[in-house]
Amino acid sequence: MKILTGKEFKELLASGNNLLSNSYKEIDALNVFPVPDGDTGTNMSLTFAAGVKDALAVKADHVGEIAKSLSRGLLMGARGNSGVILSQIFRGFYQSVEGKATISVLDFGAAFLRGSEVAYKAVMRPVEGTILTVIRESSYYAHNFVLNHEEATLLDYMEVLVFEATESLKRTPDLLPVLKEVGVVDSGGAGLLAILQGFQSALQGVPVEATEAREVEGKAAENLESEEFGSCPEFILKLNEYSQDNQVEEKLKRKLSQIGESLVVVQDEDIVKVHVHTLTPGEALNLGQRYGEFVKLKIENMSYQHEEIIANQKEEKPRQKYAIITVATGDGLTEMFKELRADVVISGGQTMNPATEDFVEAIKSVNADHVIILPNNSNIVLAAQQAQSIFEDVDVRVIPTKSIPQGLSACIMFNPEEEMDENIAEMTDATNRVVTGQVTYAIKDTTFDGLEIHAEDYMGIKEKEIVTSTPDKMLSTKTLIDSMMDGGDYEIMTLIAGEETTVEELEEVEEYIASKYDIEVESHFGGQAVYSWIIGLE
């Protein structure tokens, strides 16, 4: 076969989506830090599923039109850096095939080559040894192959593309030392390879089917009750060994009740069944995945009521000069940001990356001339920047804050009486003066920079450096504080306690700091998951 029709293109997309969805857990496990932020597979799977859903809904048998819907769906559903980069690969693909009802082998190769170029341009500081390397090297060699083999079929091209992507992925540890140290290949590259392998299987006549464990396709509900809205995620979790005796049922009820309605959570030994109506189904899935593996999953669209609510809010809310949109998880952190003039606090963080669409809806809802976005996590910056690029009639600026303390400091420096450029300069300068520390737990045994780390250790992380790892949470916390204070001249320390941290532990840390350092301490209960402590120094 040398010509690809729209119908066949859809078959490739469905097969690639299914293989990525079936493989997300293995891809999640390829994290370079031994902390529970291994969500690359989840982010890429949710991102690609969003795009493929839109692409399959196109009625026309036209590759260009299908690729257009795919690109738009990927952009709006993009989660995390890997999801944003994936969306840019297929944005370039669409640019290359725009207007073409069918495409040839050469067209197919040129489209992936263009996808590589667009993806590189989307990243401010491209890093080799990542998904970017895999798409660049594989698309280059495969395109050259078809240029030199006029008789090549689409399957011939795809076999070369998959082979070269596989070889490129194997080389990623040689390009990115942190991968070699931990003994893994790049997770983003692995996600891309899964999609390409799915394409290859479809061309071989054996398209990949979705497994029961990742049933992601759903149909819109036809008969909605008046109080229902958004989407209806329903899933069954098989709890991991760390969650089975950890009151998961109550935790899920408490957290899911903050983002949805019509909530049902039932636990039976190591199995939990969840049903919820929510505007943010991805967030519900991320919450569930923290505690175990999906045994069964479905998502149904329920109505367009949320869009109508947003439209009504826009009409009713008066236009304002400034608005601040920030990202955080935990009731305490949300309240802290709102007290510092944040108009919208999008729920999310390291293990729950908001999608581009979440930022787009937030920007629409604030109805402001100037919007400042604070992502507060390096893995969320690209999604925020993609949302920024969509708006032409609103002055949207992203200050690339990479931690909660940076976001809080930026908010403190905001002055509604100043012009936008002055505000951005002052807020950016404030973030550069912040030193961030975090205490979290490891999910597996490994070695990092010569430091032995064991599963369930508490790690103290200063910026990007793991400075300590012990089974004793308080010892790790105090060691981290000592490392952060070493050699610095700081005036204020902000202590933010997580959801598992007790009042007694907070008091113990405060007493420890007072006994050793002359510094003003501001303490808060942030209520954040994953991180027992978030610490900021200025």
Side-chain angles (χ1 to χ4, degrees):
M1 182 170 65
K2 291 189 176 185
I3 298 296
L4 188 72
T5 66
K7 178 177 180 293
E8 292 158 347
F9 185 40
K10 287 182 179 180
E11 292 172 354
L12 265 62
L13 293 175
S15 181
N17 180 54
N18 288 340
L19 185 54
L20 176 60
S21 179
N22 297 346
S23 310
Y24 84 96
K25 192 170 182 62
E26 291 82 358
I27 297 167
D28 278 347
L30 297 174
N31 55 327
V32 297
F33 290 105
V35 295
D37 60 358
D39 55 1
T40 297
T42 301
N43 284 338
M44 294 186 74
S45 180
L46 291 173
T47 298
F48 201 60
V52 171
K53 178 183 176 184
D54 286 357
L56 297 184
V58 175
K59 295 182 179 180
D61 185 15
H62 191 287
V63 172
E65 292 300 317
I66 296 167
K68 180 179 180 180
S69 289
L70 174 71
S71 175
R72 177 68 177 178
L74 286 170
L75 174 62
M76 299 305 292
R79 295 175 182 272
N81 288 353
S82 56
V84 173
I85 292 172
L86 183 64
S87 75
Q88 295 308 292
I89 291 173
F90 284 96
R91 180 186 178 196
F93 187 102
Y94 160 62
Q95 291 175 355
S96 185
V97 302
E98 183 178 7
K100 297 180 180 180
T102 61
I103 58 175
S104 66
V105 182
L106 276 174
D107 292 332
F108 203 43
F112 276 110
L113 200 62
R114 178 58 181 161
S116 171
E117 295 169 355
V118 172
Y120 264 86
K121 290 179 181 178
V123 180
M124 185 173 296
R125 297 181 181 86
V127 176
E128 297 299 338
T130 65
I131 182 176
L132 290 171
T133 305
V134 175
I135 186 60
R136 175 177 58 80
E137 292 184 340
S138 61
S139 63
Y140 172 79
Y141 288 116
H143 187 242
N144 277 353
F145 169 79
V146 295
L147 286 176
N148 293 305
H149 295 80
E150 294 182 1
E151 75 286 358
T153 65
L154 285 163
L155 180 57
D156 292 334
Y157 167 81
M158 187 54 65
E159 288 179 343
V160 174
L161 186 66
V162 168
F163 174 81
E164 294 296 347
T166 302
E167 294 303 305
S168 180
L169 183 63
K170 291 178 183 178
R171 292 191 293 268
T172 56
D174 296 326
L175 298 173
L176 201 56
V178 66
L179 298 177
K180 177 172 284 189
E181 183 168 0
V182 181
V184 296
V185 295
D186 177 64
S187 54
L192 175 64
L193 177 60
I195 294 171
L196 300 181
Q197 289 173 328
F199 285 10
Q200 181 184 27
S201 293
L203 287 171
Q204 291 171 336
V206 284
V208 178
E209 299 294 333
T211 64
E212 184 178 358
R214 285 288 290 172
E215 182 187 345
V216 295
E217 295 183 2
K219 297 181 180 179
E222 296 179 355
N223 300 307
L224 303 180
E225 300 175 7
S226 59
E227 77 276 12
E228 296 179 341
F229 61 92
S231 298
C232 173
E234 188 174 77
F235 55 85
I236 297 175
L237 281 177
K238 182 175 177 59
L239 300 178
N240 58 42
E241 58 180 313
Y242 304 112
S243 300
Q244 292 181 19
D245 299 316
N246 205 18
Q247 298 180 322
V248 171
E249 183 177 355
E250 292 306 313
K251 288 182 179 179
L252 282 172
K253 284 180 178 178
R254 185 174 70 252
K255 294 173 182 176
L256 289 171
S257 67
Q258 298 173 7
I259 65 169
E261 297 180 352
S262 301
L263 175 64
V264 177
V265 181
V266 180
Q267 182 173 353
D268 182 11
E269 296 183 347
D270 64 341
I271 295 292
V272 175
K273 171 71 177 292
V274 175
H275 171 279
V276 63
H277 297 169
T278 177
L279 295 173
T280 54
E283 186 174 345
L285 298 185
N286 282 330
L287 281 170
Q289 194 178 18
R290 287 176 51 202
Y291 299 106
E293 181 179 0
F294 292 117
V295 176
K296 191 172 183 180
L297 163 67
K298 69 174 181 178
I299 306 174
E300 292 182 344
N301 290 328
M302 297 175 62
S303 72
Y304 295 100
Q305 183 176 350
H306 176 48
E307 295 176 8
E308 294 171 357
I309 291 173
I310 293 295
N312 292 336
Q313 288 177 340
K314 280 190 66 177
E315 292 173 1
E316 295 171 2
K317 188 170 183 178
R319 188 78 171 181
Q320 57 182 333
K321 180 178 180 181
Y322 283 119
I324 296 176
I325 297 170
T326 188
V327 180
T329 181
D331 292 342
L333 282 176
T334 298
E335 188 60 32
M336 289 171 69
F337 276 111
K338 287 187 174 180
E339 288 178 355
L340 294 173
R341 304 187 187 94
D343 296 81
V344 176
V345 181
I346 297 175
S347 181
Q350 187 62 31
T351 60
M352 296 184 296
N353 298 159
T356 300
E357 188 171 13
D358 295 324
F359 287 106
V360 170
E361 293 300 333
I363 294 168
K364 291 178 180 178
S365 72
V366 295
N367 195 25
D369 295 322
H370 306 279
V371 177
I372 300 170
I373 302 179
L374 306 171
N376 302 334
N377 187 291
S378 59
N379 204 36
I380 301 175
V381 172
L382 279 178
Q385 290 173 338
Q386 289 301 311
Q388 174 187 15
S389 68
I390 291 174
F391 290 86
E392 297 181 356
D393 59 340
V394 180
D395 180 17
V396 181
R397 310 282 186 93
V398 177
I399 299 177
T401 50
K402 298 179 180 179
S403 69
I404 291 295
Q406 283 190 342
L408 292 170
S409 293
C411 281
I412 290 172
M413 294 306 297
F414 173 72
N415 184 347
E417 303 303 320
E418 288 188 355
E419 294 303 312
M420 185 66 155
D421 289 341
E422 284 73 18
N423 265 312
I424 296 298
E426 291 287 340
M427 295 169 76
T428 301
D429 186 55
T431 67
N432 294 332
R433 296 193 297 267
V434 175
V435 176
T436 299
Q438 299 172 110
V439 176
T440 187
Y441 54 90
I443 61 170
K444 65 180 181 182
D445 295 340
T446 189
T447 301
F448 189 80
D449 278 347
L451 180 68
E452 284 195 16
I453 298 168
H454 302 285
E456 298 187 76
D457 271 3
Y458 286 93
M459 297 179 298
I461 306 173
K462 176 184 177 182
E463 299 295 337
K464 295 182 178 181
E465 177 189 5
I466 302 175
V467 299
T468 183
S469 179
T470 75
D472 188 329
K473 178 169 67 175
M474 299 309 290
L475 177 58
S476 286
T477 303
K478 294 171 184 178
T479 303
L480 172 63
I481 289 171
D482 290 339
S483 176
M484 294 176 68
M485 291 294 294
D486 185 27
D489 183 18
Y490 304 106
E491 297 178 356
I492 300 175
M493 177 183 292
T494 303
L495 279 177
I496 304 173
E499 66 176 355
E500 305 292 343
T501 303
T502 66
V503 173
E504 291 75 19
E505 288 172 331
L506 176 59
E507 291 175 347
E508 182 179 340
V509 172
E510 289 175 329
E511 291 172 3
Y512 178 78
I513 296 169
S515 69
K516 292 192 66 174
Y517 304 107
D518 181 19
I519 189 170
E520 180 183 344
V521 178
E522 295 183 357
S523 300
H524 307 270
F525 276 96
Q528 72 274 4
V530 180
Y531 295 100
S532 302
W533 298 97
I534 298 175
I535 304 169
L537 281 179
E538 295 180 69

